Amino acid sequence: MPTTPRSPEGRPAAAPVMPIRTPAETALVEAFALARERLPGDPDVRARAFAPLEKGLPHRRIEEWKYTDLHALLREVKPLAAPPDAAAVKAIRKGGLPLGKAEAIRLVLVNGSFVPALSDLDALPAGVEVVPLGRALAEGQPWLARLGEAGAPADNAAVALAAAFAGDGVMIRLAAGAEVERPILLAHVQQGDGHAAYARSLVIAEARASATLVESHSGPGAHQTGSLLEILAGQGASLRHVKLQGEAAGTVHLATLAVRLDAAAAIDSLVVERGAALARQQMFVTFAGEGARAALKGVTLAGGIRHLDTTAVIDHAVPGCISTEQFKAVIDGRARAVFQGRINVAPRAQKTDARMVMRALMLSEGSEADLKPELWINADDVQCAHGATASAIDEEQIFYLAARGIPRPEAETMLVEAFVAEVLDAAPEAVRAAARALAATWLKERD
Amino acid sequence: MLAIQNLHVRIPDREILKGLDLDVRAGEVHAIMGPNGSGKSTLASVLAGKPGYEVTAGGATFEGEDLLALPADERARRGIFLAFQYPLEIPGVANMTFLKAAMNARRRGQGEKDLTTPEFMKQVRTSADSLGITQEMLRRALNVGFSGGEKKRNEILQMALLEPRLAILDETDSGLDIDALKVVADGVNRLRAPGRAFLVITHYQRLLNYIVPDAVHVLSGGRIVRSGGPELALELEERGYADYAEVA
C-alpha cells in the first residue's frame, strides 16, 4: 500500500509531504497518551497499533484517502466516552435497538462498552460462544492472538484508531458446523452529547458454521465512532453480514470490516449507510483458500452536507474464487458519496471471477459522486469486470409518473426506492424491514 | 371541454405547431390524422404538459381554465390522460404500486379519500380481466419485459382506472397487430361516456374502424387544414396525405 503518490515509473513523484500537525492530530496523540494507561490490555500492543497515527492523519495526497482527507476533515478530537450510566441503559432498553429479542441474539455496546444487561448472553444457541473484548483483554484469552489475522491493514488510519482506542467489543466463536438461525446483532449505541467511542470485534467461524451478523450504529449526539470487525471464516463457513449505519447527523464514523475466507467459505455483505456527517466504511476481503466466494453490496443514502465513503479492497490471493460487488449511492443536497473499489488478483490466482458495479443517482446540482474502480490483475486466466455510472434522475420517467397525476416529490421517492430496492431486497429476511426503514426515513426527511 | 386557439409551439430549433385551432366537447371523440412530422405527437405532449416545448402564441383551455399554466401532474389529477405512444419502462417500480399511486393521486385531486387495498384490488382485477392483463403482468415492474401490445393494453388499463375527463391517445395503434388493436379499441369504446372526451391521434385510418370518431381533423404543417366526419378518414386512407403536403 503506497503512502506517497508515485509516478508511472514507480519512483516517488515528489518528496513525501509532511504537513504540520493540525490541532486535531495533536489532540489525538494527547488523547492516546491518556487512554493507553486507562484501557485494558497490553499498553505496548496499543502503542504499536497507534504508531501509524503518530505521523498524523492521512491526507488527500495519499491515494486511498484522496477523496476523504481526514487530515483536513477531522477538526477536533472528542474525549473518550465513559461507560454508560443506568439511565442510558434504561433508555436503550425501552427501545433503542433495531431488532427485538425475538428477532435476534443481541449483543449491545453502549458508548463503546459492552453492556451485559442489554445483551442476550443467557440465550445463546448451541455452538455460539461470546466473550466481551474488554474482559478478554483484562484477563487474557487465547482468541486475542487471532486479532489482526483477518487482513485489516495495521497502517490504515481507521484500523489504527479502532485498534488503539477500542476498550471493548465482542469476540464470537461459532463452533464447527453450527447453523445459527437467528441473526446475531452487534448494536453500537451512543448516548450523550459528544464523545469518542471505538469498538473492536472478532468472529471466528469454524468449518461449515453459518450465521448472520448484523451491525447497527445509532444514537443521538455528535460523536466520533469507530469500529473494527474482523471475521475469520473457516473452511466452508457461510456468513451473512448486514450493517445499518444510522449515526446521528453530527457524528464522524470510521469503520472497517475485514474478512478472511478459507477454502469454500462465503460471505454475503450488505452495508446501508445513511447517517453521520462524515463516514467511511472500509472492507478488506482476503481469499485465503480456493473456491471461496464474497458478495459485497451497499446502499449509500447521502443528504445534506454528508460525506459518505465506501472503500473496498478484495484480495484474490488464491485461485478459483468469486467476488461480486454492487454498490449504489443516492446523493442529494450538497452531499458527497465516495466509492473506491480495488480488486487485486495475485499472479497465482487463476480462474478468478471478480465483478464490481457502482452506480450513483444524483438528485441535486450540488451533489458529488467520486467513483474509483481499480483492478490490479496479475494473472491471465481470469474474468474481471467493472462498471461505474453516475446519472441524474430520469426526467422521462418523472414525466410518465406526472402524466398519471403523481407529484414530483412522490415520483422521485418512487424512483429512488426502485433504484435501491434491488440491493436492499437482498437483505436477509429478518433484517429487510430494518434496512428498508433506514431508506424510507431518509426519503421522508428529504421532502 | 378542450378549446385550443391559434396554438404556436416550438422546440429549440424549429416551430412545430403554427396556429392550431380545435374544439372538443364532452362526450365527443375527435381523431387527429396527418403525415409524419405534421405535429401530432407534439400536440399530445403539449396538452399533457411535457417539458421542452415553448408555447410562443395562442393557448388552450380545459373546462374553462388555462391548461398550459398547469404542471403536468396537476393536469392529470384534473382528468387529462395521455396514452403514450411509447410507454416507459420503470424497473423496480411494481405495476401495482404505480397504479395505486396514480389512482390515489387522481382521487386526492378530486378531494376523495385514498382507496383501501381491497377496493383497489377489486377495481384493478375487474379492469385488468377485461383487457386480458394477467396477475403476473400486474406483479411485474412497470412495463418491464412487456411486449408492445402488453404496454398499450397497460396504458388502457391505466385509463380505465383513472377515469379521465379527456383522454389523448397518441398513436396507440402503432405496433399493434389486429387482435391487439381490437382489444385496445374495445377498451376505449367501453369508456366512451357523455362526460368524457377523446382525442385519438393516429397515422392510419385502421384504428378508426373500431373507434368511430365524431370528427376527423387533418393536421399538416402544424395546423388543422381540414375537418370533417368519419368519412374523411376513409378518404385519407384511399388517397393518402399527398394532397396535404406542407407548403414550403
Side-chain angles (χ1 to χ4, degrees):
Chain A
M1 191 177 311
T3 52
T4 52
R6 284 174 181 269
S7 67
E9 292 77 29
R11 283 176 280 114
V17 179
M18 290 296 281
I20 297 165
R21 258 187 201 169
T22 62
E25 286 166 339
T26 304
L28 199 60
V29 172
E30 288 166 5
F32 180 68
L34 282 173
R36 188 184 155 176
E37 301 307 323
R38 222 187 84 192
L39 293 169
D42 182 347
D44 292 337
V45 171
R46 286 194 187 272
R48 279 198 296 279
F50 187 77
L53 300 166
E54 300 274 2
K55 289 176 290 191
L57 292 163
H59 47 79
R60 64 192 158 80
R61 301 200 192 194
I62 294 172
E63 182 58 31
E64 309 113 87
W65 297 89
K66 181 176 178 177
Y67 302 103
T68 301
D69 183 340
L70 272 193
H71 174 74
L73 291 169
L74 203 72
R75 295 299 177 84
E76 55 166 347
V77 171
K78 308 261 188 190
L80 210 55
D85 57 20
V89 170
K90 198 174 166 191
I92 295 160
R93 178 171 290 141
K94 275 188 174 168
L97 301 174
L99 298 172
K101 187 165 186 172
E103 298 163 303
I105 302 156
R106 299 168 307 170
L107 304 171
V108 183
L109 294 149
V110 181
N111 298 353
S113 295
F114 182 74
V115 181
L118 291 171
S119 303
D120 303 325
L121 287 180
D122 53 347
L124 297 178
V128 180
E129 272 180 87
V130 175
V131 177
L133 180 75
R135 201 172 84 202
L137 288 169
E139 298 171 2
Q141 218 277 351
W143 299 348
L144 291 172
R146 304 202 66 182
L147 290 172
E149 231 179 73
D155 61 351
N156 175 281
V159 172
L161 276 169
F165 284 101
D168 218 337
V170 290
M171 297 205 287
I172 303 169
R173 188 174 72 124
L174 305 170
E179 291 178 14
V180 185
E181 292 285 319
R182 269 190 307 160
I184 300 169
L185 171 68
L186 251 70
H188 303 76
V189 187
Q190 309 306 325
Q191 284 280 335
D193 298 327
H195 57 240
Y198 294 91
R200 181 172 193 175
S201 296
L202 172 69
V203 175
I204 302 168
E206 295 183 342
R208 300 172 319 280
S210 68
T212 298
L213 299 158
V214 181
E215 290 183 273
S216 69
H217 291 263
S218 60
H223 311 284
Q224 282 168 356
T225 61
S227 72
L228 171 56
L229 171 60
E230 295 167 90
I231 298 177
L232 300 170
Q235 192 167 349
S238 174
L239 294 164
R240 302 192 79 174
H241 167 257
V242 177
K243 169 154 174 176
L244 307 172
Q245 192 271 90
E247 295 277 27
T251 290
V252 173
H253 176 77
L254 301 170
T256 303
L257 168 70
V259 187
R260 185 193 139 101
L261 297 157
D262 287 344
I267 177 105
D268 274 277
S269 169
L270 167 65
V271 175
V272 183
E273 285 211 73
R274 71 143 286 183
L278 166 63
R280 171 148 157 146
Q281 174 67 48
Q282 309 188 120
M283 282 166 269
F284 298 95
V285 175
T286 306
F287 288 110
E290 295 185 22
R293 191 182 62 77
L296 306 184
K297 292 188 169 165
V299 168
T300 294
L301 302 158
I305 54 167
R306 289 198 160 90
H307 179 124
L308 304 179
D309 174 329
T310 303
T311 293
V313 179
I314 298 194
D315 264 311
H316 282 271
V318 298
C321 294
I322 300 171
S323 66
T324 59
E325 293 170 81
Q326 183 188 27
F327 290 92
K328 290 191 171 184
V330 183
I331 317 163
D332 197 11
R334 286 172 51 225
R336 185 172 181 183
V338 178
F339 180 77
Q340 313 185 90
R342 198 170 85 208
I343 297 169
N344 299 330
V345 182
R348 61 177 291 240
Q350 302 294 0
K351 306 288 180 193
T352 286
D353 189 337
R355 289 159 206 281
M356 168 167 59
V357 175
M358 41 182 102
R359 288 181 64 196
L361 180 62
M362 326 283 290
L363 297 181
S364 64
E365 285 286 324
S367 58
E368 180 176 329
D370 301 292
L371 309 174
K372 189 177 74 177
E374 288 178 281
L375 273 61
W376 294 11
I377 302 171
N378 292 298
D380 51 16
D381 184 14
V382 299
Q383 288 198 47
C384 292
H386 70 87
T389 61
S391 54
I393 210 147
D394 185 335
E395 289 300 326
E396 296 276 334
Q397 293 184 345
I398 289 282
F399 175 63
Y400 190 70
L401 298 172
R404 299 298 176 255
I406 300 169
R408 182 162 189 123
E410 193 182 338
E412 281 191 0
T413 296
M414 286 173 83
L415 295 179
V416 172
E417 277 176 344
F419 179 72
V420 298
E422 180 189 4
V423 179
L424 291 183
D425 288 352
E429 183 67 43
V431 193
R432 206 171 295 153
R436 283 195 187 132
L438 265 190
T441 54
W442 184 83
L443 284 164
K444 210 167 169 184
E445 283 163 19
R446 62 175 292 266
D447 296 348
Chain B
M1 176 174 279
L2 175 70
I4 304 172
Q5 295 107 17
N6 190 34
L7 186 64
H8 286 69
V9 173
R10 57 179 302 128
I11 55 173
D13 60 338
R14 65 195 175 93
E15 188 170 44
I16 297 182
L17 298 184
K18 302 168 182 173
L20 187 142
D21 293 282
L22 182 67
D23 267 299
V24 179
R25 281 175 301 204
E28 293 179 345
V29 176
H30 288 240
I32 308 272
M33 301 185 69
N36 291 327
S38 59
K40 299 191 301 291
S41 281
T42 296
L43 175 62
S45 296
V46 167
L47 292 177
K50 187 173 185 179
Y53 298 91
E54 188 194 352
V55 176
T56 53
T61 60
F62 175 62
E63 301 190 317
E65 278 191 76
D66 180 3
L67 177 65
L68 304 180
L70 301 174
D73 55 321
E74 178 64 33
R75 296 182 202 190
R77 289 194 296 276
R78 290 194 187 196
I80 291 185
F81 181 91
L82 170 64
F84 282 62
Q85 182 177 4
Y86 303 109
L88 265 78
E89 296 185 10
I90 307 191
V93 174
N95 204 4
M96 289 293 257
T97 307
F98 162 75
L99 291 173
K100 196 168 185 185
M103 287 171 75
N104 282 334
R106 172 97 168 98
R107 292 173 67 87
R108 284 174 214 162
Q110 293 169 297
E112 293 170 30
K113 278 193 295 190
D114 284 8
L115 288 165
T116 64
T117 299
E119 285 168 345
F120 165 72
M121 296 299 290
K122 192 177 167 211
Q123 289 195 29
V124 171
R125 286 227 174 94
T126 309
S127 294
D129 284 352
S130 66
L131 289 161
I133 291 174
T134 61
Q135 292 300 307
E136 195 266 328
M137 281 169 68
L138 291 171
R139 277 195 298 270
R140 260 190 275 172
L142 179 54
N143 291 328
V144 176
F146 284 28
S147 70
E150 285 172 338
K151 285 180 184 173
K152 296 296 172 74
R153 275 187 279 149
N154 204 33
E155 292 289 289
I156 303 304
L157 171 65
Q158 293 164 39
M159 184 166 80
L161 294 172
L162 294 175
E163 301 179 352
R165 306 271 291 131
L166 170 67
I168 304 161
L169 277 61
D170 186 10
E171 307 218 12
T172 295
D173 50 335
S174 69
L176 292 189
D177 61 32
I178 197 72
D179 294 325
L181 188 74
K182 278 185 190 160
V183 172
V184 165
D186 286 348
V188 172
N189 287 329
R190 271 196 298 275
L191 294 171
R192 289 179 78 152
R196 181 173 294 142
F198 288 84
L199 203 55
V200 180
I201 293 171
T202 179
H203 186 79
Y204 301 103
Q205 182 269 341
R206 189 176 68 153
L207 178 66
L208 305 180
N209 288 337
Y210 302 97
I211 304 171
V212 180
D214 298 298
V216 175
H217 309 277
V218 181
L219 181 60
S220 177
R223 277 200 301 264
I224 289 186
V225 293
R226 198 173 155 199
S227 297
E231 71 288 349
L232 179 55
L234 293 168
E235 183 190 317
L236 288 168
E237 182 73 3
E238 203 172 307
R239 302 178 54 165
Y241 292 110
D243 299 351
Y244 305 99
E246 191 178 350
V247 182

